[in-house]
Structures are given as C-alpha cells and as structure tokens.
Amino acid sequence: MAAHTAPKFLKPKGTASTRIAMLGEELILECFAAGVPTPSIKWTKDYEEMTMTGKKLENFNKTLRIKKIAMDDGGDYICTASNRMGSLDHIITVRVKSVPFWLEKPESLVLSRDDGGSMVCRADGIPRPQIQWLVNGEPISDAPRSPGRQVSGDTLTFRGVVPDSAAVFQCNASNPYGYIMTNAFLAVMDMKPRLLGPRDELFKTTEGNLTLLDCPYFGSPKPVLRWSKGGVGTLEGGRYRTLPNGTLEIRNTKLQDQGAYVCVASNVIGRDEKEVQLEVKEPIKIIRAPHNTVVIRGSLARFDCKIKFDTSLDVTVTWLKDKKFLILGRRMTKDEESLSIADVYRRDEGVYTCRVKSELEEVTTSAKLTVMDRPDPPTDLEISDPSERSVRLTWTPGLSNHSPIKEYLIQYTENLLADYWLLPSGWKNLTSYPGSLNSVILQLTPFVEYTFRVIAVNGIGPSKPSWASEYYQTGGAVPDAIPRNIQGLGYGVFRNNMEISWEPLEYREWNGPKLGYMVWWRRRDSREEWKNYTTYWWCSTIIYDTDTFTPYEIKVQAINFFGYGPESPVVIGYSGEDRPVAAPSELSVSDIESTTLTVHWEPVARADIMGEIKEYKVYYWRESSRLPWHVVTRRIKTKSFKANGPRLSGTLTGLVPFSNYKMYIVVANNRYEGPPSHNIEFQTPEGVPTIPRSFRIMHRHYDTLYLDWEEPAEPNGVLTGYILKYQSLNVSVGIQVENIPPNITYFSLRRLDRYTRYKFSLAAQTEVGVGEAFTEESPHFTTEEYTRDQVDIVTQGWFIGLMCAVALLVLIMLIVFFIKRSRGGKYPVRDNKDFALEPMDENGTFDYRSLERITRVSTIPYSRREEESRQGRSQGAIEHINRRTNSDDSLMEYGEGEEMEFNEDGSFIGEYTGVSKRNMDRSPYHDSSEPTSPVAIYSFA
C-alpha cells in the first residue's frame, strides 16, 4: 500500500501563473495535482465563491472552461488541491485583452461653400487604441495643409470649406493586438433643395399611434424644412416635431389628424415642396383576451381572442405556442373568437399567443396553459435498516405534474417460503403514506421474500408503478396467528365420534417451515386431563368412542420449526347425532283461508331429538279438488319452521283454494329427520278463479267478431259465470259489460263495420269474487286474423314439402305409365310375387271363381273402365260403403257394385297405396271431375 503524500501540482508548475485571454474567445484553465490519496480540486476567483454562469467544470474539476470571455472575467483564479495530508493553492492570473472595436464611426459630409462641419472617430480596446487620421490614403500630417481643416484627437473639424476641400478621409484605430479602419468623404457643392421619395404618397396609421410622415431632402447649402397641414401654418411643437432627416413626427395620433400635409424645403438657391395624405384608422382592440388556464390531461382547453377592428383593413389572426406558429389539425381548431385544444396532452403545455395583424399594426396577447396529470412514478427505490419484521424503503419522488401528491401507495409481492417450494403472489397493497414522505418503515411478516414498488397519487389519479425494488427476505419466527373457525361435530354416519376441524393458516401466517397443528380436547365439566394430537398435513382430526351428542372442550394451536404458537380460545363441540325417536304431537291448523293457514304443534322433548334441533318440517299435499270433476296432481311440498317456543306454530302459504289437503310434521336435527306425526286433513275455502284459458278473437264474417275461451285452469270454487267487458277503440263509447253463464264459453259481437276494433277483458267469478282478467284487442281485419286463417296451412313448411313430394311422385307415376303403355298387351297376375291367393276354401284349395272375377275386372280395357267410371262416379262411393262388410280386404266385396280400380296383379289400389277413392272424394283438395288416373295401378308394380 502506497504511503500517503501531500498534494503537488503537475500542471501548471509552481504556485502562480498568468494567462492572456482575448475578449469574446474561449479560455481553458487546467490544474492537475498528484498525491495519495488523490487530491480533490476546487476553484475560486479572487478568493471568493465563483459564479458558474458561462463556465463549466470538466475532468473531475481539473479543467475550467470559460466559453466566452467578458471584461469582468479578468482576475485571479485560485486552484486548490487538497487531500487528508494537506492542501495547496495555485493562482492563475487572467488578463483580458481585446483588439480595437468601434464606438462611433466617422460619417461622410456634404457641405456647401463657406460652410463647416466635423467628423468623429471613436474606438476602444484593451489596451486603448491610438487614433490616426489619413487623407486620400496618406497620414494627414504628411498631406498638404488645407485652410479651415483641424485635427483634435478623435475629431476632424472643417470651417469655411471651398471646392478644393473635398477629399476622402480614413480613420485608423490600432493597439498591439490589431487595428480597424473606415472611410468617410467630404463633398463641397451648391444645389437647389430637392425632396426625395414619391409625390402624393399615402400614409396610413391608427388612432393613438406614433405617426411618422417621411420627407427626405437634399440641398447645398442645407435647406430649411417646414411642415404644414393643407399648406396653412407651420406644424411645430406640442404633438408635432420635425426630425433632422425631414420626417414629421405626430404623437398620439387622433382621427382629426387625417388629411393632406405639405413638406417645403428651401435654401438661398431655391425651394421644393410635396404633398402627402394621411388616413387615420381605428386601432385593433382585443375585447376578450385569453386567460391562464389549468386543465386536466385529456380534457378540453379553450383560449378566447375576440377582437374589434376597422373593417376597411384586412386583419389576420394567428396563434403561436412558445413563439412558434401553431399547426392546427384534428385536436387543435380555431374559430373567429377562440382556439380549442381537445384531448389535451402534457406536451401541449406552454404560452399561447393570439397575434392580430393588419397592414398598419400588430397586437398580441398571451396566456399560459398548464396541464394537470397523474404524477410521474417514483424512482430509485432503496431498501435499508433490515430487521426481523420491518425494513426501511426510500424512493425519489417523480414530478407531480401541477397537482400536489397526496399519498404514496406501497405495493408488494411475496414469495412465501413453504416447506419445499416457493409460493409467489401478485402485487398487493401493503399500506399508504402522506405525499410529504419519501422514506418509511414497512411492517412485514417473518419468513417471506418481498419485493416492493411505489405508486404516487395526486388529485388526478395514481401514477404508473415504479420499478420493483430488489428482493428482501425476513427471518423466521413462531406462529402469531391462531386457527380460526374451530368446530367439533359428529362425523359421517356414526354417533360415537366427533370430528374437530379448523381453517388452516394462510401461508403468510406460517412464519416458518414445517407448519403443524396441536389439537386438545376433553369432556366438558369433567376433571379429565387434556388429550392432544398433532397433525402436519390435515385441518381436521376424528375422535372416536364418544357418547352420543356429548359436549367437549376443544382448543387448537399452530406450531412450526421455530416453536409453538398461541393457543386458541376454548370452544365447545358435540359428538355425533342420532335419529330423533319421537314426533311432534297435537298437529292442528287454524285461521284457514283460501291460500293460507296457521299450523300448530307441540314440540318434541330435547332428549328425544338425539342432537341439536335444527327445524320442524311440515309435509303437505293436495289430495283432491272439492269439485268432483276437477283432476289434480298430488305433489308433496315441504315447509320448514324454526323452534322458538314451548308451543310452536307457523304460517303456511301457497295453498290452492277449494281443495282437500293432508299434512304431517317431523322434527329434524343436523343429521336426521325423526318419525312422522299422524296425518291430518283439512279443506281450503273457495277463492277467486284464475285467468280463463285459450281466449281467442276471430273474424268469420265482415260484421261479426267471435270470441271463445276455455274455463280457468284452477276454478278455485264453483264458477258462477264470466264477466266480459269491451269498448270500441275507434268510437268514443262507454264500456259495455256482459254477464255470461258458466256453461257458455263463447260470445259473438256485431260491429258497425269491418274496421271497428274493440278491447276485450274477460274474467271468471265465483261466489267469493272475480278472478284475474284476460285483456286482448281485436286484430285488424284482413291484415291479422283473416290473413292468418288463409296462410295457416298453405304457408307451413311441412305442407309445402308434402306438396312437392306428391308432385314428384305423380311425375314418376306418369313416366312409368307411359313406358308400360308403350309396350301394350296383357299383364299376368303372377308378376306380383307377394300377391296372396284369396279366398281359399276350407280344404286349402283356391277358389277359381274368385280368380275369374278378379281376372275379369283386371283385364277390362282402360278406355272401357274409364267410361264406366264416369258413369258410376256420382253414386259409386256411397253404394260401396253400404255394401261393405266387416272384411276390408275381401276381393269379392270390392268386386261388387261400383267398379274399383286394381293393379295388374288384382290388388286394390286404395288399400295398398294408402289413397282410397273414399278418401279422395272427401279431400278438400280433390276437386277434379276426372276419374282416378290409372297410373296408380302401376305405381307399386
């Protein structure tokens, strides 16, 4: 290890040095020192604290950079190098020098004969420069002398000039660091006054402004200039002043100053004049100026700028932000009187300027926009001062964004160190602190690995979360918490055991590894010793060989690797329950109404309940209706009642009026229901009926409405009739009431015309009263009911599908028919292998007479059969029905009477195709007078 040494300067050497600095240039001062430990460098000026304006320290303070030397930067700069062994100073004297620079340049002169004037040449520098005059390029001291010319330092004076006095003069200012030179000329001439610039010029100004009317002139000798209004008098004094260059200045211009002004210049040689016009306009006035505005991010900001101006002038209004022209777009829009900024961002903050400009003047007004936003998130989270259950958290606050920070919310994640694994969690709120704090002590849980983050909250809302801190792990400890919700109950179906259960501790309550539970129990009011059992994996344990429903004192404590936690308070638990051995007695009902009644019973003795009483449960069902013809569904219902007195009762609701009921009651503990009591029967009185069913309104004639309905689903008594109320919706007529007998469920109403509509209300009634009414309005004629009657079948999908299938079947049958017919000839009966040879006699031989009859019918030519069919169609069906016997399949019977159509094998079409002539005649869709197509004969051949 190197020995400590005192500081020693390496650059610059020694204890003092000098530097020359040129005005306006950059200067770099360096100070390097050696020593152990490494010396620190500090700069001062003239032994006082040095201001750093325009200066910069670099290279660990070893370099001082002065960007632009000014006159007051000269002086002694002290560089102090110090370490624990001592300190050393080096003084750098800075002397500021400068090349010459102009204070006043000589100006050229134009003089008339015998006139006089002067040229002034003034300059400065460090050191102060010397002034030298030259004439036509040579020193004035070497040039021929000129009468009336005299040099006095930096001033050159002329008196009584003549034409030969004209020359070019130079002024030279020099010092050791440089020089500067400039030219000026002297001209001698005689000239009549001449007014320069345009004639009849128009000047415009605004009221209250300073107005300048220009009248540049020239002449030798120098003319005398005079201004007048309208050529009368002289304007001088008061609000008027004539400047040396001939300009007329009018202060606080008024509207009456408008008019013609004459400028006259004269000397001994002559005179000249010109006229100018002055127009005075009303000034621009900002009636409503923008105001400083504070808004919340995302809201609307608005700046007003309402102006008043002379309408004869073209005026433009532009907006600037921070002295830069504002680009308008979707968010930033302007109208004639304001600027609007929608959905304000933080970058919209700044100074907004309304600039109103005309050809004569420009007026501006500004206001500041401040955007309040959620704070920036804290940074630089640091953990310090660790202990078993706490740690200090420190952070750097973010920007408040113009809304003070009210509080800091501390969030955490924890990795719970369970026995053999980590249990990570999401971010949770730990606590909050006032916004004035940035370092707090956090109370933590033992044996947990934490990370933290901080959220700042102001009046606008919470910031984004900070970056997470580093991990921090707390040490282990015995459990602090006690198990909760400790219970002792009978377990399973056994009455001689008790299950002791509890809620497990949360992982963050373990405080260490190897968490377990020690369970203690003993019989209440006994002198037994406490028994205990320890479990590490379960949150319950079963105690066997207990008496039925016996109270026990129970307590549970948590344990872990570090020791035993606190014991829980003693709770009372009970062993298993058994089935109750008795039923409630003296079951009765009172206060019977149509839908409610009161149930009464005597309670069961506590010893007979064999456990903790839970409830009394009433079982009841509707046995039948008191109306003999009304069928009901028997469904058992239950109602539970709490035990709350020596004699118990309860209200039963939801009964159906005018019904016969049965009921019994049981007692129940937490596990079983006891035996049922004896059944009792009771009747409910009449009530009001329910709403009538299937109420319909139909149009069957243009001038009549038909109503029908069905009786209520629950008459709830003997119906005494129906009450029908109706009222016209088109005509102002009172409500009409019809009393309809109970055996009538229809009604017809003749109306004024087909477009008259009615509102109907129908209700059933018993002796008790009128039930709920069904209300309906009659539909529009032709648009609702009538149209619905027409399309009920035709528009149904199944009907359309059926008709398509029938059409396809008919087409196939036609094709088969024409194919068969094109072949000609007779068709053997035996082609159909499934034909049954009937009838047969009792000996099993075939009746050839029947076969002959069948053959005769089946071989009749088609044209003959068609003719015969037309002749007998009107009465054939009726005769056939009258002739039928009990056998629908007898060929003998089908062969009698009207001719029926058969297949070529002799089978009857109507039986085997499913379409008989009887059914076809009845069908509303069979309107054809033509006979049944013979194609059916071949449809299943």
Side-chain angles (χ1 to χ4, degrees):
M1 183 175 183
H4 292 185
T5 59
K8 178 181 179 182
F9 285 108
L10 302 177
K11 181 182 179 182
K13 300 290 185 179
T15 59
S17 59
T18 301
R19 293 288 303 274
I20 300 298
M22 299 303 297
L23 185 67
E25 296 182 1
E26 185 180 62
L27 175 64
I28 297 177
L29 301 180
E30 294 179 324
C31 185
F32 295 91
V36 178
T38 302
S40 62
I41 304 299
K42 181 179 180 182
W43 291 88
T44 56
K45 182 185 177 187
D46 297 329
Y47 295 97
E48 294 180 356
E49 193 71 24
M50 179 175 58
T51 62
M52 297 304 296
T53 304
K55 303 177 182 67
K56 184 179 181 183
L57 291 173
E58 300 174 348
N59 193 16
F60 301 99
N61 294 353
K62 295 181 178 64
T63 302
L64 174 62
R65 184 186 299 273
I66 304 176
K67 298 179 180 179
K68 189 175 182 180
I69 291 293
M71 295 296 296
D72 56 357
D73 287 331
D76 292 334
Y77 288 81
I78 297 92
C79 169
T80 301
S82 61
N83 62 11
R84 66 179 62 179
M85 300 303 295
S87 64
L88 186 63
D89 292 341
H90 183 93
I91 302 174
I92 303 176
T93 301
V94 176
R95 293 188 173 92
V96 179
K97 303 296 181 181
S98 171
V99 297
F101 53 88
W102 292 115
L103 297 178
E104 183 179 353
K105 288 184 178 182
E107 296 182 357
S108 299
L109 296 175
V110 179
L111 302 176
S112 58
R113 186 188 300 269
D114 298 330
D115 203 355
S118 61
M119 295 180 181
V120 178
C121 178
R122 297 176 58 205
D124 198 0
I126 303 174
R128 184 179 298 277
Q130 293 182 352
I131 303 298
Q132 180 185 18
W133 286 96
L134 297 87
V135 58
N136 294 329
E138 61 178 325
I140 197 169
S141 58
D142 299 336
R145 296 181 62 82
S146 174
R149 184 178 66 194
Q150 181 180 358
V151 176
S152 177
D154 56 6
T155 302
L156 179 59
T157 305
F158 303 95
R159 296 186 181 88
V161 298
V162 296
D164 291 339
S165 301
V168 177
F169 296 89
Q170 294 88 26
C171 177
N172 182 297
S174 61
N175 67 7
Y177 300 99
Y179 72 93
I180 53 176
M181 179 180 287
T182 185
N183 295 329
F185 65 86
L186 171 63
V188 180
M189 62 183 67
D190 292 331
M191 181 179 290
K192 176 183 175 182
R194 179 182 175 187
L195 299 180
L196 308 177
R199 305 284 175 162
D200 298 324
E201 188 175 4
L202 175 63
F203 291 89
K204 295 181 179 179
T205 188
T206 56
E207 185 179 9
N209 271 359
L210 176 68
T211 303
L212 300 176
L213 302 180
D214 295 330
C215 185
Y217 66 96
F218 181 76
S220 184
K222 184 177 181 179
V224 176
L225 191 72
R226 178 175 60 85
W227 280 92
S228 64
K229 185 177 182 183
V232 178
T234 300
L235 298 176
E236 191 64 41
R239 294 188 300 113
Y240 303 96
R241 183 165 72 97
T242 302
L243 302 181
N245 62 356
T247 299
L248 176 62
E249 179 184 88
I250 307 175
R251 293 186 296 275
N252 192 20
T253 307
K254 301 182 181 300
L255 289 176
Q256 55 267 31
D257 291 333
Q258 183 169 290
Y261 289 81
V262 178
C263 169
V264 178
S266 61
N267 62 11
V268 295
I269 301 175
R271 67 190 300 273
D272 192 10
E273 67 178 41
K274 72 173 183 179
E275 183 178 273
V276 297
Q277 296 291 330
L278 175 64
E279 290 185 0
V280 181
K281 306 290 186 180
E282 291 185 7
I284 296 173
K285 295 181 180 179
I286 298 179
I287 300 175
R288 189 167 62 242
H291 298 285
N292 293 337
T293 302
V294 179
V295 298
I296 298 176
R297 180 181 180 273
S299 60
L300 174 68
R302 180 185 176 92
F303 291 105
D304 293 327
C305 187
K306 186 176 182 180
I307 60 173
K308 181 181 179 182
F309 59 93
D310 195 311
T311 56
S312 63
L313 297 175
D314 292 331
V315 173
T316 58
V317 179
T318 55
W319 286 90
L320 298 87
K321 177 180 179 287
D322 297 330
K323 300 182 180 179
K324 296 180 181 179
F325 285 100
L326 192 62
I327 299 176
L328 302 178
R330 180 183 61 85
R331 290 194 312 110
M332 296 188 179
T333 58
K334 74 168 186 175
D335 53 26
E336 294 181 355
E337 298 183 357
S338 65
L339 170 70
S340 298
I341 307 174
D343 192 17
V344 173
Y345 297 154
R346 284 170 56 181
R347 65 172 180 266
D348 294 329
E349 277 191 340
V351 177
Y352 288 80
T353 302
C354 173
R355 188 181 73 174
V356 186
K357 186 176 182 180
S358 68
E359 60 181 295
L360 301 180
E361 62 178 333
E362 177 180 310
V363 180
T364 61
T365 180
S366 300
K368 184 178 181 181
L369 174 62
T370 301
V371 179
M372 294 193 302
D373 197 2
R374 301 181 181 187
D376 290 347
T379 58
D380 304 328
L381 270 64
E382 181 180 343
I383 293 175
S384 60
D385 303 339
S387 67
E388 185 179 89
R389 296 175 181 266
S390 67
V391 73
R392 176 176 291 276
L393 179 65
T394 305
W395 63 89
T396 300
L399 297 177
S400 64
N401 293 325
H402 309 295
S403 179
I405 296 177
K406 294 182 177 180
E407 65 176 1
Y408 287 102
L409 177 63
I410 312 297
Q411 294 184 327
Y412 70 97
T413 59
E414 54 185 3
N415 291 330
L416 302 171
L417 305 175
D419 288 343
Y420 302 105
W421 60 88
L422 291 178
L423 299 176
S425 67
W427 288 103
K428 302 176 184 177
N429 293 336
L430 178 61
T431 185
S432 61
Y433 293 94
S436 58
L437 301 179
N438 71 326
S439 182
V440 295
I441 299 293
L442 304 180
Q443 301 300 322
L444 306 178
T445 300
F447 207 62
V448 176
E449 189 176 65
Y450 287 95
T451 55
F452 304 99
R453 69 182 186 185
V454 183
I455 297 175
V457 181
N458 63 8
I460 309 303
S463 70
K464 292 181 179 179
S466 67
W467 290 104
S469 69
E470 60 186 4
Y471 283 98
Y472 173 71
Q473 179 179 335
T474 55
V478 298
D480 296 324
I482 60 175
R484 293 172 289 273
N485 195 21
I486 301 173
Q487 297 182 9
L489 300 173
Y491 177 75
V493 298
F494 301 103
R495 63 182 182 179
N496 60 346
N497 61 44
M498 178 177 63
E499 180 185 22
I500 301 175
S501 62
W502 58 92
E503 291 183 4
L505 298 187
E506 297 181 1
Y507 287 111
R508 63 190 321 271
E509 296 175 332
W510 286 22
N511 291 358
K514 297 184 179 180
L515 181 73
Y517 301 94
M518 182 170 286
V519 184
W520 304 80
W521 74 93
R522 69 179 179 183
R523 194 189 307 266
R524 190 178 67 176
D525 300 331
S526 70
R527 297 182 179 181
E528 298 177 351
E529 293 292 331
W530 285 92
K531 300 177 183 179
N532 66 77
Y533 176 77
T534 302
T535 177
Y536 285 94
W537 296 103
W538 310 107
C539 296
S540 65
T541 186
I542 299 175
I543 310 302
Y544 295 96
D545 298 328
T546 64
D547 295 333
T548 302
F549 200 62
T550 302
Y552 281 83
E553 295 178 344
I554 302 169
K555 59 184 179 180
V556 182
Q557 67 181 138
I559 60 175
N560 65 10
F561 177 80
F562 297 99
Y564 295 86
E567 294 182 355
S568 70
V570 174
V571 299
I572 303 300
Y574 288 85
S575 56
E577 298 180 343
D578 201 354
R579 190 179 303 277
V581 296
S585 59
E586 298 185 22
L587 177 63
S588 61
V589 295
S590 65
D591 302 329
I592 301 177
E593 298 181 2
S594 59
T595 59
T596 63
L597 55 77
T598 301
V599 185
H600 304 273
W601 67 92
E602 287 293 332
V604 177
R606 184 173 185 83
D608 295 336
I609 297 175
M610 305 301 290
E612 181 183 8
I613 187 169
K614 179 182 178 183
E615 62 188 1
Y616 288 93
K617 184 179 291 186
V618 172
Y619 288 83
Y620 64 98
W621 62 95
R622 188 183 182 192
E623 184 72 17
S624 62
S625 173
R626 294 173 63 182
L627 298 172
W629 50 266
H630 189 60
V631 180
V632 301
T633 301
R634 298 178 182 177
R635 186 173 59 189
I636 296 179
K637 298 181 180 179
T638 63
K639 178 68 179 291
S640 298
F641 298 96
K642 297 296 182 182
N644 55 5
R647 177 174 176 81
L648 305 177
S649 64
T651 302
L652 196 63
T653 60
L655 302 177
V656 179
F658 213 60
S659 299
N660 298 312
Y661 276 89
K662 289 186 177 181
M663 173 193 296
Y664 67 84
I665 188 171
V666 299
V667 66
N669 57 28
N670 291 318
R671 190 173 298 278
Y672 302 104
E673 289 185 0
S677 68
H678 66 281
N679 289 359
I680 65 168
E681 298 181 358
F682 60 89
Q683 293 181 334
T684 54
E686 269 192 302
V688 296
T690 59
I691 191 170
R693 296 177 296 164
S694 305
F695 184 74
R696 296 187 301 171
I697 304 174
M698 297 171 288
H699 294 287
R700 293 183 180 171
H701 296 88
Y702 291 155
D703 58 351
T704 305
L705 289 176
Y706 292 90
L707 287 70
D708 66 3
W709 61 89
E710 296 179 7
E711 66 177 17
E714 291 292 346
N716 293 339
V718 178
L719 292 181
T720 59
Y722 297 94
I723 297 179
L724 177 66
K725 299 180 181 180
Y726 60 90
Q727 182 179 20
S728 172
L729 299 177
N730 306 87
V731 182
S732 298
V733 180
I735 298 176
Q736 306 294 317
V737 180
E738 297 286 345
N739 290 301
I740 301 173
N743 60 337
I744 302 297
T745 59
Y746 57 86
F747 182 78
S748 62
L749 173 65
R750 182 176 296 276
R751 55 184 178 178
L752 300 177
D753 55 62
R754 71 179 67 180
Y755 303 108
T756 302
R757 298 182 63 219
Y758 291 87
K759 182 177 181 180
F760 295 93
S761 175
L762 177 68
Q765 65 178 348
T766 62
E767 291 292 342
V768 175
V770 180
E772 182 182 357
F774 185 94
T775 303
E776 181 73 24
E777 294 182 2
S778 61
H780 293 282
F781 187 78
T782 74
T783 61
E784 295 182 17
E785 184 65 31
Y786 183 80
T787 304
R788 186 174 69 240
D789 290 342
Q790 298 300 315
V791 301
D792 276 347
I793 296 178
V794 178
T795 61
Q796 299 300 310
W798 64 268
F799 182 78
I800 295 173
L802 178 62
M803 292 297 101
C804 292
V806 171
L808 180 61
L809 182 61
V810 171
L811 179 61
I812 295 173
M813 293 169 63
L814 285 173
I815 294 172
V816 174
F817 166 72
F818 284 114
I819 292 175
K820 293 285 187 179
R821 186 175 184 184
S822 64
R823 295 178 181 175
K826 301 288 192 299
Y827 300 96
V829 174
R830 294 284 183 176
D831 285 351
N832 191 337
K833 295 181 180 180
D834 295 332
F835 178 73
L837 296 177
E838 294 185 27
M840 301 181 67
D841 58 15
E842 60 184 3
N843 296 323
T845 59
F846 181 73
D847 189 350
Y848 287 95
R849 289 176 300 175
S850 298
L851 177 61
E852 181 182 359
R853 189 181 301 112
I854 294 170
T855 306
R856 183 177 66 252
V857 174
S858 63
T859 56
I860 295 175
Y862 172 73
S863 58
R864 177 184 170 187
R865 281 187 277 118
E866 183 178 354
E867 180 179 357
E868 291 175 355
S869 176
R870 283 197 300 268
Q871 293 174 356
R873 179 172 299 279
S874 61
Q875 60 183 3
I878 300 175
E879 292 176 358
H880 172 69
I881 294 171
N882 293 333
R883 291 192 189 109
R884 289 197 56 144
T885 65
N886 293 332
S887 175
D888 290 339
D889 297 331
S890 173
L891 295 175
M892 295 294 292
E893 292 173 0
Y894 282 118
E896 296 178 0
E898 180 185 2
E899 289 185 8
M900 307 299 290
E901 297 190 349
F902 288 77
N903 283 331
E904 58 182 347
D905 60 358
S907 61
F908 175 48
I909 275 179
E911 291 294 304
Y912 297 97
T913 64
V915 183
S916 70
K917 192 170 184 180
R918 297 190 307 270
N919 295 335
M920 293 175 62
D921 289 342
R922 292 176 184 175
S923 172
Y925 302 104
H926 185 66
D927 296 334
S928 174
S929 61
E930 294 296 322
T932 304
S933 174
V935 175
I937 298 175
Y938 306 102
S939 61
F940 294 97

